[in-house]
Amino acid sequence: MEGRIIDVNGKKIYIEYNKSFINKPTIVFLHDSLGCTQLWRDFPAKLAEATQCNVLAYDRLGYGKSFPMSTHERKNDYMESEADHLNDLLNELDIKEAILFGHSDGGTIALITASKYPEKVKGTICEAGHIFVEDITVKGVSDALKAYEKTDLPERLRKYHGDKVEMMVKAWTEIWLSDHFRNWNIEYLLKNIISPLLFIQGEADVYGTLAQVEKTISRVSGSAEKFIIPNVGYTPHKEIPDVVLNKTTEFVKNCTVNISVCL
């Protein structure tokens, strides 16, 4: 997919948008805390081909090929703000039917978007998302920060994010390791999710327990399915891509059937 920079309410955002299929929804990919469009690799293209759906991937402000953040400081509701920005992006591209696929922070943003803008979201795939803060999450972020300080991680991240790396890492780690973020919780929003949900989680995820999955699927108002994978960690779509591709293809096809029935 060819990429380009667009202006969304004053924010210069890099997107890759493949709009090949008429009257089909768009699968929107939302990357993780240190991710970007490029790090999804060929997974979006493969899912587009398998489902015959359009695909949009984008870099949030401060990530990948998008413009830098104005500050590393984040408020507790920064992911809620990202959901609002995603809605603005969908409006800018005139996308009225979206199926969201979010990983980690992207998964959380997908859940929030589905709850706040249910008229646009026809299905949500949440992979390793969080709805509250756990001790394991704080430890995972702390370990990642140590790796950033003591290994070649900065150099590897710079390949994808350029000179934005330091601010990006600071923005992520400072909020998640702060005392005031320990009370962050979006469970109250989940009842507003009325479209189908698939929650994917590796049992060996170092950033979250299965409580994230169980509490999420128990609180949404639409149909919800969990896909728990033994011996897999934080990034199932990279660790076992074929398994995740097959499962998400099945889910997306069911969503598109439901959309057709409603038309």
Side-chain angles (χ1 to χ4, degrees):
M1 294 189 294
E2 291 188 6
R4 59 191 172 102
I5 296 286
I6 66 170
D7 187 304
V8 182
N9 286 349
K11 296 180 179 180
K12 305 290 188 180
I13 300 297
Y14 175 79
I15 69 167
E16 293 184 2
Y17 186 20
N18 181 1
K19 190 178 181 182
S20 300
F21 302 101
I22 299 172
N23 296 326
K24 283 297 190 80
T26 299
I27 305 171
V28 182
F29 283 85
L30 296 91
H31 61 75
D32 63 294
S33 308
L34 299 179
C36 62
T37 294
Q38 192 176 353
L39 284 168
W40 284 105
R41 298 190 169 89
D42 63 352
F43 192 91
K46 286 184 174 180
L47 189 58
E49 182 180 358
T51 61
Q52 299 290 285
C53 285
N54 304 303
V55 169
L56 167 67
Y58 73 102
D59 296 337
R60 296 194 295 277
L61 195 70
Y63 293 83
K65 297 176 183 178
S66 289
F67 278 37
M69 308 174 190
S70 59
T71 175
H72 74 276
E73 295 179 353
R74 285 175 167 170
K75 297 180 180 179
N76 279 19
D77 64 351
Y78 78 95
M79 285 184 279
E80 288 89 326
S81 296
E82 289 290 354
D84 294 334
H85 187 249
L86 172 54
N87 180 60
D88 292 339
L89 175 59
L90 296 178
N91 288 338
E92 179 71 23
L93 297 175
D94 196 30
I95 295 174
K96 295 181 172 63
E97 294 181 336
I99 296 174
L100 308 180
F101 189 139
H103 175 231
S104 189
D105 263 19
T108 302
I109 294 165
L111 291 173
I112 297 169
T113 305
S115 73
K116 296 185 72 173
Y117 305 99
E119 71 282 358
K120 287 190 177 74
V121 179
K122 307 307 176 183
T124 302
I125 302 164
C126 176
E127 181 187 31
H130 302 89
I131 60 170
F132 57 93
V133 181
E134 296 182 282
D135 290 340
I136 188 175
T137 318
V138 175
K139 183 181 184 304
V141 175
S142 178
D143 289 346
L145 179 58
K146 291 174 185 175
Y148 179 79
E149 294 170 343
K150 298 180 179 179
T151 71
D152 67 343
L153 181 57
E155 182 180 344
R156 289 187 282 128
L157 289 173
R158 207 166 288 119
K159 177 181 177 182
Y160 301 101
H161 306 284
D163 58 6
K164 300 185 292 292
V165 169
E166 184 176 354
M167 184 176 287
M168 176 189 72
V169 171
K170 195 171 185 179
W172 175 50
T173 56
E174 279 199 3
I175 187 68
W176 277 92
L177 297 178
S178 65
D179 290 337
H180 62 82
F181 197 66
R182 291 305 295 261
N183 293 324
W184 172 82
N185 189 305
I186 61 162
E187 291 180 65
Y188 72 98
L189 287 172
L190 300 178
K191 66 181 183 299
N192 299 322
I193 298 178
I194 58 176
S195 54
L197 167 70
L198 172 64
F199 202 128
I200 302 171
Q201 183 89 357
E203 281 191 340
D205 189 338
V206 297
Y207 290 101
T209 72
L210 297 184
Q212 302 284 348
V213 183
E214 300 296 344
K215 288 191 176 182
T216 298
I217 65 173
S218 70
R219 283 162 172 71
V220 299
S221 296
S223 61
E225 178 184 1
K226 59 184 176 182
F227 186 50
I228 310 301
I229 313 166
N231 304 314
V232 168
Y234 170 64
T235 53
H237 72 276
K238 289 183 180 179
E239 297 170 56
I240 48 166
D242 290 343
V243 173
V244 175
L245 180 63
N246 289 338
K247 186 64 179 179
T248 52
T249 297
E250 175 190 355
F251 176 80
V252 170
K253 285 184 175 180
N254 286 336
C255 288
T256 57
V257 168
N258 291 335
I259 292 171
S260 298
V261 169
C262 293
L263 291 177

